[in-house]
Amino acid sequence: MPLYRTEGICLRSYELKEADRIVVLLTRDQGKVRAVAKGVRRPGSRLAGSLLPFTHSRLLLHRGRELDKVVQCEAVFGFRALREELERMAAASYLAELADGFLGEKDPNAGLFPSFLASLHLLAGHPDLRHALVLVQGLLLASLGYRPELDICVHCGADLEEGREAVVYHPGEGGVLCGRCGSERKGRGTMTISRGAWQTLRRLWATDPGRLTMLRPGKAVRGEMETLLRATMIHRLERRPKTLDFLDLVLRESE
Amino acid sequence: MLYPKTIARLIEELCSLPGVGPKTAQRLAFHLLREKPERVEALAAAMLEAKQRIFSCGVCQNLTDVEPCLLCADPARDRSSILVVEEPKDVLALERTGEYRGSYHVLHGVISPMDGIGPGALRIGELLERLKDGGVKEVILATNPDVEGEATALYMARLIRPLGVRTTRIARGIPVGGDLDYADEVTLARALEGRREVG
Ligand SMILES: [Zn+2]
Ligand SMILES: [Zn+2]
């Protein structure tokens, strides 16, 4: 069947010819899909409003050889705050860039869509955006299977010792190092985080996504979590996300 | 297919133009090769002359071949209002309406975080400079009503408001000749927000 129905979230779009756009969609059951939206840049296009970035919509798509085509589209939820509040828009752009960068085309991932949708709700509505950013990065890594190893040393497999001293984390190796391996590799792509941040990260990935907002790290711990999550994203993406400069700029100005 | 070096180079150069893929570039290249030499010379001369003689106006940043541009030099234009647009072509579109008698400012782009384009890449500093002497009473933000245009407008409003200059955003709503039923919910919501007294 060349026609198929799905739900999707527009991650971004590119202008195409005079009045069209290529939209990059995260769909519920087809993974990432690139589709042409005809005439969507003309005023009054029926498709335009429901294909704005970060809009959750119901779609009827036509499968094509290179690109699919949007036949019908109806918005389910518009996430206006993500387009009309600068900090939230920047945060959603960051999340969308990550999802777009991590996903191959039409590689279904059943857990990702609901988790991404929950993340957009957090970014749109959470009273503390920096807090929400930590949560959504955690959710994204978990649903992609990129959750770092925090319990045992990724190098020698030893359980992480109890204690109060800082924990060594290696984004490149995807987890923590024990005291011995950590001191051997110090400075070679490692970073250290406090026990508090380590504990909170473990709790972040052990908590049911629906209850994540109960997790309320203090400012210092949250900053450490953010640093670790970003380093992990950059390592996985193999580049610095383009959206980060703008995100940092608007977050700094809103302080 | 292997072309002589000169043709391959022409195709490659054409390929660097926006919206031109390898196939179109190839078609254009062969079209040029079939044309009379004077036609091709005229095209090349027009491109070169435009490139050499056109620059951005030191005031409004619009493209011009005189300094300041004709709009900025026109004594009939109201200098107390500046309408901010993304691209030079937007100035033309607004001039065609014949409704606006103020001055313009062209940003030459729009904030696009996904493309790594931040406010520093736009002519925002030049606009703030124009607001310094206090002669400007209103800045109208007329960037496109898409995500990037909104972000740019929001960002600029933040910079301009503290200067005590009235900052407005063009209204958005149902297009003329459009059907209510045909409009999406975002457009409808905004049209409702932008309602005004009648009669
Ligand atoms: Zn070890
Ligand atoms: Zn000018």
Side-chain angles (χ1 to χ4, degrees):
Chain A
M1 257 309 274
L3 281 179
Y4 64 100
R5 272 179 203 285
T6 186
E7 277 172 65
I9 298 160
C10 177
L11 297 177
R12 67 171 308 179
S13 64
Y14 303 90
E15 293 189 355
L16 179 73
K17 295 187 197 153
E18 284 290 294
D20 308 343
R21 271 183 194 280
I22 293 178
V23 288
V24 181
L25 303 159
L26 174 64
T27 65
R28 191 183 280 279
D29 38 32
Q30 307 279 321
K32 184 170 93 174
V33 170
R34 284 157 57 86
V36 177
K38 289 262 180 207
V40 78
R41 278 154 59 213
R42 278 195 200 101
S45 154
R46 201 179 270 261
L47 294 177
S50 37
L51 289 174
L52 288 170
F54 324 129
T55 299
H56 173 204
S57 49
R58 264 189 285 275
L59 300 142
L60 179 64
L61 294 153
H62 186 278
R63 215 180 294 279
R65 210 151 45 92
E66 275 173 46
L67 286 168
D68 292 1
K69 198 171 107 188
V70 181
V71 180
Q72 281 170 25
C73 185
E74 178 199 6
V76 179
F77 194 73
F79 290 108
R80 267 179 74 183
L82 298 182
R83 289 188 304 270
E84 298 185 354
E85 290 174 42
L86 209 49
E87 290 81 12
R88 295 186 194 274
M89 180 267 183
S93 300
Y94 171 56
L95 192 69
E97 182 186 7
L98 292 174
D100 185 21
F102 286 139
L103 296 173
E105 272 178 56
K106 297 203 173 156
D107 182 11
N109 172 338
L112 185 57
F113 186 84
S115 132
F116 197 85
L117 204 53
S119 294
L120 290 186
H121 278 289
L122 279 171
L123 292 182
H126 199 289
D128 183 346
L129 183 61
R130 285 166 196 270
H131 185 175
L133 261 167
V134 165
L135 302 181
V136 303
Q137 290 177 86
L139 273 175
L140 184 65
L141 289 175
S143 52
L144 290 166
Y146 293 166
R147 199 169 81 181
E149 173 61 61
L150 295 178
D151 298 330
I152 57 167
C153 171
V154 285
H155 198 71
C156 72
D159 281 331
L160 215 66
E161 304 86 356
E162 294 292 324
R164 305 175 60 96
E165 69 281 10
V167 174
V168 180
Y169 175 73
H170 196 301
E173 296 198 40
V176 292
L177 298 170
C178 68
R180 197 164 48 84
C181 298
S183 52
E184 280 168 14
R185 276 163 192 75
K186 205 157 197 161
R188 280 183 279 160
T190 62
M191 55 193 283
T192 52
I193 51 165
S194 67
R195 282 282 159 166
W198 174 71
Q199 288 285 7
T200 318
L201 280 162
R202 290 174 73 196
R203 247 184 290 141
L204 166 69
W205 282 307
T207 304
D208 175 73
R211 302 172 59 89
L212 267 182
T213 47
M214 315 276 275
L215 210 68
R216 293 200 182 93
K219 202 174 165 189
V221 163
R222 190 186 62 203
E224 285 187 76
M225 293 168 79
E226 175 69 38
T227 307
L228 180 140
L229 289 163
R230 272 193 192 190
T232 309
M233 294 298 180
I234 291 170
H235 171 73
R236 288 283 181 180
L237 201 61
E238 297 175 355
R239 63 174 171 83
R240 187 181 150 82
K242 291 179 180 168
T243 43
L244 269 184
D245 286 341
F246 186 64
L247 177 62
D248 285 340
L249 175 75
V250 292
L251 284 179
R252 209 163 46 234
E253 285 178 353
S254 73
E255 254 170 8
Chain B
M1 205 198 305
L2 224 54
Y3 295 122
K5 238 194 209 140
T6 43
I7 300 183
R9 179 170 164 229
L10 176 59
I11 293 174
E12 200 186 303
E13 292 293 340
L14 289 166
C15 247
S16 71
L17 297 173
V20 178
K23 271 195 183 141
T24 309
Q26 191 175 306
R27 212 174 58 236
L28 290 171
F30 285 112
H31 171 80
L32 290 173
L33 291 171
R34 273 194 307 272
E35 283 277 358
K36 290 203 177 84
E38 52 275 23
R39 286 286 313 128
V40 181
E41 269 159 30
L43 174 65
M47 287 163 71
L48 215 60
E49 191 185 341
K51 187 63 206 169
Q52 284 164 348
R53 296 199 35 206
I54 299 293
F55 53 92
S56 353
C57 167
V59 182
C60 71
Q61 310 297 318
N62 197 5
L63 296 178
T64 179
D65 55 2
V66 285
E67 176 76 10
C69 73
L70 294 178
L71 279 168
C72 286
D74 183 349
R77 303 296 298 207
D78 174 8
R79 280 170 181 70
S80 71
S81 138
I82 298 181
L83 195 147
V84 180
V85 294
E86 293 178 16
E87 301 291 347
K89 65 180 163 59
D90 301 328
V91 173
L92 291 179
L94 281 151
E95 279 301 289
R96 275 198 298 271
T97 68
E99 286 289 319
Y100 181 67
R101 299 300 302 157
S103 54
Y104 290 94
H105 193 87
V106 181
L107 294 171
H108 291 275
V110 72
I111 294 175
S112 177
M114 294 269 212
D115 299 305
I117 300 173
L122 313 178
R123 312 277 172 93
I124 296 177
E126 289 86 344
L127 174 66
L128 298 178
E129 206 54 44
R130 291 174 73 182
L131 304 180
K132 268 189 181 159
D133 67 7
V136 177
K137 301 288 171 247
E138 182 177 7
V139 172
I140 307 162
L141 300 169
T143 48
N144 286 334
D146 52 21
V147 181
E148 292 83 8
E150 278 320 323
T152 310
L154 288 168
Y155 184 81
M156 294 186 32
R158 254 186 214 183
L159 296 179
I160 298 166
R161 286 222 172 90
L163 306 175
V165 179
R166 181 168 183 241
T167 311
T168 55
R169 179 86 173 103
I170 49 165
R172 298 148 296 190
I174 312 295
V176 176
D179 242 22
L180 266 199
D181 169 54
Y182 201 72
D184 61 86
E185 31 291 89
V186 180
T187 307
L188 271 175
R190 282 172 174 174
L192 206 54
E193 280 168 13
R195 69 189 185 277
R196 50 181 195 182
E197 300 281 341
V198 288

XYZ file of all heavy atoms in Angstrom, chain B residues 93-169:
584
model
N 7.963 43.590 -1.600
C 6.590 43.118 -1.372
C 5.792 44.162 -0.590
O 4.639 44.454 -0.918
C 6.612 41.792 -0.614
N 6.422 44.762 0.419
C 5.705 45.749 1.241
C 5.496 47.052 0.484
O 4.453 47.689 0.614
C 6.464 45.990 2.541
C 6.203 44.867 3.553
C 7.369 44.682 4.484
C 4.928 45.138 4.339
N 6.480 47.429 -0.332
C 6.336 48.651 -1.130
C 5.185 48.522 -2.119
O 4.494 49.496 -2.419
C 7.650 48.963 -1.861
C 8.678 49.650 -0.984
C 8.173 50.968 -0.407
O 8.041 51.923 -1.169
O 7.898 51.025 0.813
N 4.980 47.316 -2.628
C 3.888 47.094 -3.581
C 2.524 47.375 -2.957
O 1.583 47.710 -3.650
C 3.921 45.653 -4.120
C 4.854 45.476 -5.297
C 4.539 44.194 -6.066
N 4.723 42.996 -5.253
C 5.880 42.328 -5.151
N 6.928 42.740 -5.835
N 5.977 41.256 -4.408
N 2.402 47.226 -1.642
C 1.106 47.482 -1.004
C 0.795 48.978 -1.008
O -0.363 49.369 -0.943
C 1.075 47.012 0.468
O 1.962 47.850 1.230
C 1.506 45.565 0.603
N 1.833 49.828 -1.062
C 1.614 51.271 -1.039
C 1.066 51.772 0.299
O 0.672 52.917 0.426
N 1.067 50.924 1.312
C 0.462 51.266 2.596
C 1.454 51.880 3.576
O 1.076 52.554 4.512
C -0.091 49.991 3.264
C -1.357 49.450 2.652
C -2.551 50.337 2.957
O -2.650 50.817 4.101
O -3.369 50.552 2.039
N 2.710 51.574 3.366
C 3.692 51.921 4.385
C 4.552 53.086 3.916
O 5.092 53.074 2.820
C 4.557 50.690 4.687
C 5.588 50.938 5.758
C 5.208 51.183 7.075
C 6.951 50.948 5.452
C 6.162 51.424 8.060
C 7.902 51.190 6.432
C 7.501 51.430 7.729
O 8.429 51.667 8.688
N 4.682 54.117 4.765
C 5.435 55.307 4.377
C 6.667 55.533 5.258
O 7.293 56.582 5.218
C 4.529 56.557 4.429
C 3.326 56.503 3.487
C 3.720 56.366 2.027
N 4.579 57.451 1.567
C 5.413 57.370 0.527
N 5.512 56.242 -0.136
N 6.147 58.401 0.175
N 6.960 54.575 6.102
C 8.112 54.730 6.996
C 9.386 54.216 6.353
O 9.479 54.094 5.137
N 10.378 53.911 7.178
C 11.629 53.378 6.646
C 11.752 51.886 6.988
O 10.927 51.332 7.706
C 12.808 54.172 7.203
O 12.745 54.198 8.610
N 12.795 51.290 6.439
C 12.963 49.835 6.568
C 14.278 49.494 7.240
O 15.176 50.327 7.330
C 12.977 49.186 5.180
C 11.651 49.207 4.485
C 11.317 50.232 3.598
C 10.732 48.178 4.699
C 10.097 50.237 2.945
C 9.504 48.183 4.051
C 9.193 49.217 3.174
O 8.001 49.221 2.536
N 14.375 48.226 7.634
C 15.672 47.662 8.015
C 15.689 46.198 7.572
O 14.781 45.441 7.901
C 15.911 47.766 9.527
C 17.329 47.478 9.902
N 18.304 48.453 9.914
C 17.961 46.328 10.234
C 19.459 47.921 10.252
N 19.280 46.618 10.441
N 16.727 45.836 6.827
C 16.807 44.464 6.313
C 17.831 43.675 7.136
O 18.988 44.077 7.254
C 17.215 44.461 4.815
C 17.264 43.031 4.287
C 16.251 45.307 3.992
N 17.403 42.556 7.682
C 18.281 41.757 8.546
C 19.240 40.859 7.764
O 20.254 40.424 8.280
C 17.435 40.863 9.465
C 16.579 41.574 10.501
C 15.652 40.576 11.177
C 17.462 42.254 11.536
N 18.891 40.550 6.522
C 19.651 39.598 5.707
C 19.724 38.236 6.369
O 20.798 37.662 6.540
C 21.054 40.130 5.413
C 21.039 41.296 4.485
N 21.009 41.167 3.122
C 20.993 42.630 4.732
C 20.967 42.358 2.567
N 20.944 43.274 3.526
N 18.560 37.738 6.739
C 18.517 36.400 7.307
C 17.604 36.359 8.504
O 16.882 37.317 8.800
N 17.666 35.251 9.194
C 16.755 35.012 10.280
C 17.455 34.058 11.254
O 18.325 33.293 10.826
C 15.434 34.456 9.660
C 15.592 33.048 9.152
C 14.271 34.608 10.563
N 17.140 34.174 12.522
C 17.760 33.268 13.494
C 17.288 31.848 13.212
O 16.088 31.600 13.142
C 17.377 33.664 14.947
C 17.981 35.030 15.286
C 17.844 32.602 15.934
C 17.554 35.558 16.645
N 18.212 30.948 13.004
C 17.842 29.571 12.704
C 18.757 28.633 13.479
O 19.795 28.207 12.982
C 17.956 29.336 11.195
O 17.663 28.005 10.898
N 18.367 28.331 14.728
C 19.250 27.538 15.586
C 19.677 26.224 14.937
O 20.830 25.815 15.057
C 18.385 27.267 16.832
C 17.339 28.323 16.832
C 17.106 28.690 15.400
N 18.758 25.579 14.220
C 19.063 24.281 13.608
C 20.154 24.390 12.546
O 20.814 23.413 12.231
C 17.805 23.726 12.928
C 16.735 23.387 13.917
S 16.914 21.690 14.425
C 15.221 21.308 14.704
N 20.288 25.564 11.938
C 21.344 25.756 10.949
C 22.557 26.433 11.559
O 23.487 26.811 10.854
C 20.820 26.610 9.780
C 19.650 25.935 9.091
O 19.814 24.781 8.669
O 18.573 26.545 8.990
N 22.512 26.621 12.868
C 23.621 27.265 13.538
C 23.706 28.763 13.254
O 24.752 29.372 13.413
N 22.586 29.361 12.797
C 22.594 30.804 12.535
C 22.015 31.545 13.736
O 20.837 31.424 14.055
C 21.792 31.149 11.260
C 22.414 30.421 10.059
C 21.755 32.660 11.030
C 21.619 30.537 8.796
N 22.862 32.277 14.411
C 22.444 33.012 15.595
C 22.263 34.484 15.281
O 22.498 34.913 14.148
N 21.862 35.272 16.279
C 21.627 36.701 16.054
C 22.865 37.438 15.545
O 22.736 38.436 14.829
C 21.204 37.221 17.426
C 21.407 36.113 18.395
C 21.536 34.845 17.645
N 24.048 36.934 15.871
C 25.278 37.601 15.452
C 25.461 37.637 13.944
O 26.195 38.471 13.423
N 24.776 36.731 13.242
C 24.922 36.676 11.782
C 23.994 37.675 11.087
O 24.057 37.836 9.878
C 24.628 35.259 11.294
N 23.112 38.325 11.832
C 22.137 39.247 11.232
C 22.538 40.693 11.495
O 23.373 40.980 12.341
C 20.743 38.989 11.819
C 20.315 37.526 11.891
C 18.947 37.416 12.532
C 20.298 36.905 10.506
N 21.878 41.616 10.772
C 22.217 43.038 10.937
C 21.403 43.659 12.075
O 20.667 44.623 11.864
C 21.956 43.793 9.621
C 22.533 43.117 8.383
C 23.995 43.454 8.190
N 24.578 42.646 7.120
C 24.653 43.014 5.849
N 24.190 44.181 5.467
N 25.206 42.215 4.954
N 21.495 43.057 13.236
C 20.727 43.548 14.378
C 21.447 44.709 15.050
O 20.837 45.696 15.451
C 20.449 42.405 15.385
C 19.553 41.341 14.733
C 19.782 42.949 16.651
C 19.261 40.138 15.609
N 22.775 44.581 15.153
C 23.556 45.652 15.753
C 23.340 46.975 15.035
O 23.211 48.035 15.660
N 23.270 46.929 13.700
C 23.063 48.123 12.885
C 21.709 48.759 13.187
O 21.569 49.979 13.156
C 23.155 47.768 11.390
C 24.559 47.438 10.896
C 24.955 45.980 11.088
O 24.277 45.266 11.875
O 25.936 45.540 10.462
N 20.716 47.923 13.473
C 19.389 48.456 13.805
C 19.437 49.165 15.159
O 18.940 50.288 15.313
C 18.352 47.326 13.837
C 16.957 47.742 14.308
C 16.317 48.708 13.318
C 16.054 46.533 14.510
N 20.061 48.510 16.125
C 20.140 49.115 17.464
C 20.859 50.459 17.396
O 20.498 51.410 18.083
C 20.858 48.168 18.433
C 20.155 46.823 18.655
C 20.969 45.935 19.585
C 18.746 47.015 19.203
N 21.852 50.526 16.529
C 22.591 51.767 16.305
C 21.657 52.888 15.834
O 21.738 54.024 16.298
C 23.668 51.471 15.247
C 24.903 52.347 15.266
C 25.606 52.408 16.607
O 25.779 51.350 17.274
O 25.964 53.528 16.981
N 20.720 52.522 14.932
C 19.776 53.516 14.401
C 18.808 54.018 15.465
O 18.198 55.079 15.311
C 18.952 52.914 13.254
C 19.750 52.634 12.005
C 18.906 51.915 10.972
N 17.908 52.785 10.337
C 17.036 52.354 9.431
N 17.021 51.087 9.080
N 16.171 53.195 8.901
N 18.624 53.225 16.527
C 17.642 53.593 17.547
C 18.246 54.517 18.598
O 17.550 55.070 19.434
C 17.092 52.331 18.234
C 16.470 51.299 17.291
C 15.955 50.100 18.075
C 15.330 51.917 16.482
N 19.561 54.676 18.547
C 20.264 55.377 19.625
C 19.891 56.850 19.766
O 19.795 57.355 20.871
C 21.779 55.255 19.430
C 22.347 54.055 20.161
C 23.859 54.099 20.138
C 24.457 52.900 20.848
N 25.843 52.680 20.394
N 19.696 57.541 18.619
C 19.495 58.989 18.716
C 18.083 59.383 19.154
O 17.777 60.565 19.279
C 19.894 59.680 17.412
C 18.965 59.316 16.263
O 17.945 58.647 16.512
O 19.268 59.697 15.116
N 17.206 58.385 19.366
C 15.886 58.688 19.919
C 14.847 59.149 18.911
O 13.706 59.411 19.265
N 15.220 59.254 17.636
C 14.269 59.724 16.628
C 13.233 58.680 16.234
O 12.173 59.000 15.714
N 13.555 57.420 16.491
C 12.644 56.348 16.083
C 11.629 56.081 17.188
O 11.989 55.857 18.340
C 13.437 55.070 15.755
C 12.494 53.932 15.392
C 14.419 55.332 14.627
N 10.326 56.127 16.822
C 9.275 55.932 17.821
C 8.707 54.521 17.801
O 8.134 54.057 18.770
C 8.133 56.938 17.581
C 8.576 58.396 17.650
C 8.887 58.816 19.097
C 9.539 60.189 19.161
N 10.933 60.130 19.616
N 8.809 53.863 16.636
C 8.234 52.517 16.545
C 9.071 51.618 15.650
O 9.517 52.026 14.578
C 6.803 52.577 15.990
C 6.149 51.209 15.912
C 4.696 51.239 15.426
O 4.229 52.330 15.017
O 4.062 50.179 15.451
N 9.272 50.377 16.117
C 9.895 49.355 15.283
C 8.845 48.285 15.029
O 8.264 47.742 15.973
C 11.136 48.743 15.972
C 11.643 47.541 15.180
C 12.243 49.782 16.097
N 8.564 48.023 13.753
C 7.572 47.016 13.393
C 8.311 45.765 12.932
O 9.064 45.809 11.955
C 6.662 47.520 12.253
C 6.063 48.879 12.623
C 5.571 46.501 11.945
C 5.525 49.647 11.439
N 8.127 44.670 13.626
C 8.835 43.443 13.290
C 8.009 42.651 12.285
O 6.910 42.193 12.585
C 9.099 42.632 14.561
C 9.942 43.391 15.598
C 9.945 42.655 16.931
C 11.371 43.596 15.086
N 8.535 42.530 11.081
C 7.772 41.891 10.007
C 8.514 40.676 9.453
O 8.497 40.405 8.263
C 7.471 42.896 8.898
N 9.166 39.936 10.342
C 9.772 38.676 9.912
C 8.640 37.685 9.636
O 7.516 37.883 10.081
C 10.702 38.119 11.009
O 10.003 38.159 12.259
C 11.964 38.957 11.135
N 8.954 36.626 8.894
C 7.922 35.647 8.521
C 7.299 34.993 9.749
O 7.968 34.808 10.760
C 8.527 34.546 7.643
C 8.813 35.046 6.244
O 8.179 35.987 5.763
N 9.792 34.434 5.600
N 6.018 34.613 9.636
C 5.372 33.988 10.789
C 5.704 32.496 10.908
O 4.839 31.698 11.231
C 3.879 34.215 10.511
C 3.768 34.310 9.040
C 5.071 34.891 8.547
N 6.943 32.109 10.631
C 7.337 30.717 10.880
C 8.215 30.677 12.139
O 8.451 31.711 12.765
C 8.066 30.133 9.660
C 9.216 31.013 9.192
O 9.708 31.822 9.996
O 9.618 30.895 8.024
N 8.697 29.503 12.497
C 9.410 29.375 13.768
C 10.627 30.301 13.832
O 10.848 30.994 14.820
C 9.861 27.921 14.012
C 10.569 27.804 15.342
C 8.672 27.003 13.990
N 11.390 30.338 12.744
C 12.603 31.155 12.742
C 12.256 32.642 12.806
O 12.905 33.403 13.525
C 13.441 30.882 11.487
C 14.070 29.495 11.438
C 13.123 28.420 10.930
O 12.008 28.782 10.470
O 13.467 27.234 11.006
N 11.231 33.034 12.049
C 10.810 34.432 12.038
C 10.286 34.868 13.400
O 10.579 35.979 13.869
N 9.528 33.994 14.051
C 9.021 34.285 15.397
C 10.179 34.453 16.368
O 10.207 35.376 17.173
C 8.161 33.137 15.925
C 6.724 33.051 15.496
C 5.965 34.345 15.409
O 6.170 35.247 16.252
O 5.164 34.473 14.483
N 11.123 33.508 16.297
C 12.256 33.543 17.223
C 13.031 34.844 17.039
O 13.423 35.496 18.012
C 13.170 32.342 16.987
N 13.211 35.239 15.791
C 13.947 36.464 15.513
C 13.206 37.678 16.071
O 13.812 38.560 16.685
C 14.161 36.611 13.988
O 14.691 35.379 13.497
C 15.109 37.737 13.665
N 11.892 37.702 15.870
C 11.084 38.819 16.367
C 11.137 38.876 17.894
O 11.318 39.945 18.488
C 9.643 38.687 15.879
N 10.998 37.714 18.525
C 11.034 37.675 19.991
C 12.383 38.164 20.515
O 12.467 38.932 21.473
C 10.798 36.244 20.486
C 9.387 35.680 20.341
C 9.388 34.175 20.592
C 8.437 36.381 21.305
N 13.425 37.698 19.867
C 14.762 38.058 20.304
C 14.995 39.557 20.164
O 15.516 40.216 21.071
C 15.807 37.278 19.495
C 17.214 37.532 19.965
C 17.712 36.860 21.080
C 18.025 38.462 19.337
C 18.995 37.113 21.537
C 19.303 38.719 19.794
C 19.782 38.035 20.894
O 21.040 38.298 21.347
N 14.559 40.118 19.022
C 14.775 41.540 18.798
C 13.932 42.397 19.727
O 14.392 43.437 20.218
C 14.492 41.882 17.341
C 15.527 41.190 16.476
S 15.469 41.613 14.765
C 14.952 43.224 14.820
N 12.709 41.940 19.967
C 11.832 42.701 20.865
C 12.494 42.851 22.228
O 12.437 43.901 22.865
C 10.489 41.994 20.997
N 13.173 41.797 22.650
C 13.877 41.831 23.925
C 14.988 42.863 23.966
O 15.266 43.450 25.000
C 14.536 40.482 24.143
C 13.816 39.703 25.146
C 14.607 38.471 25.393
N 13.640 37.445 25.656
C 13.959 36.214 25.977
N 15.212 35.856 26.005
N 13.024 35.365 26.248
N 15.638 43.039 22.828
C 16.735 44.006 22.781
C 16.213 45.435 22.659
O 16.825 46.369 23.156
C 17.653 43.705 21.579
C 18.409 42.391 21.582
C 19.226 42.258 20.309
C 19.327 42.301 22.800
N 15.082 45.590 21.951
C 14.611 46.934 21.623
C 13.777 47.545 22.741
O 13.903 48.734 23.052
C 13.807 46.900 20.297
C 14.719 46.436 19.162
C 13.222 48.264 19.980
C 13.978 46.055 17.902
N 12.916 46.743 23.384
C 12.007 47.286 24.406
C 12.723 48.083 25.487
O 12.259 49.163 25.846
C 11.160 46.160 25.024
C 10.100 45.695 24.067
C 8.739 45.452 24.725
N 7.767 45.197 23.668
C 7.502 43.991 23.187
N 8.093 42.926 23.709
N 6.634 43.840 22.209
N 13.854 47.560 26.000
C 14.537 48.331 27.055
C 14.976 49.723 26.600
O 15.240 50.590 27.430
C 15.760 47.471 27.397
C 15.445 46.110 26.912
C 14.514 46.282 25.754
N 15.046 49.950 25.283
C 15.453 51.257 24.791
C 14.276 52.235 24.784
O 14.424 53.395 24.385
C 16.018 51.144 23.365
C 17.156 50.141 23.164
C 17.546 50.042 21.706
C 18.368 50.548 24.012
N 13.108 51.745 25.185
C 11.940 52.614 25.266
C 11.298 52.889 23.916
O 10.528 53.836 23.767
N 11.600 52.065 22.920
C 10.987 52.243 21.601
C 9.811 51.270 21.482
O 9.938 50.097 21.838
C 12.011 51.948 20.480
C 11.370 52.100 19.110
C 13.218 52.860 20.622
N 8.676 51.776 21.020
C 7.504 50.923 20.849
C 7.843 49.823 19.845
O 8.369 50.093 18.760
C 6.344 51.771 20.338
C 5.073 50.995 20.143
C 3.888 51.926 19.927
N 2.696 51.135 19.813
C 1.902 51.104 18.737
N 2.165 51.894 17.712
N 0.851 50.323 18.716
N 7.581 48.570 20.206
C 7.928 47.448 19.349
C 6.674 46.660 19.021
O 6.002 46.166 19.930
C 8.958 46.538 20.054
O 10.004 47.369 20.565
C 9.555 45.539 19.104
N 6.337 46.562 17.749
C 5.118 45.857 17.367
C 5.448 44.729 16.395
O 6.513 44.697 15.787
C 4.113 46.812 16.686
O 4.765 47.451 15.583
C 3.622 47.876 17.651
N 4.498 43.810 16.273
C 4.657 42.654 15.388
C 3.510 42.709 14.399
O 2.370 42.993 14.806
C 4.579 41.378 16.241
C 4.710 40.072 15.485
C 6.167 39.701 15.319
N 6.342 38.356 14.738
C 6.683 38.159 13.466
N 6.838 39.170 12.639
N 6.855 36.934 13.015
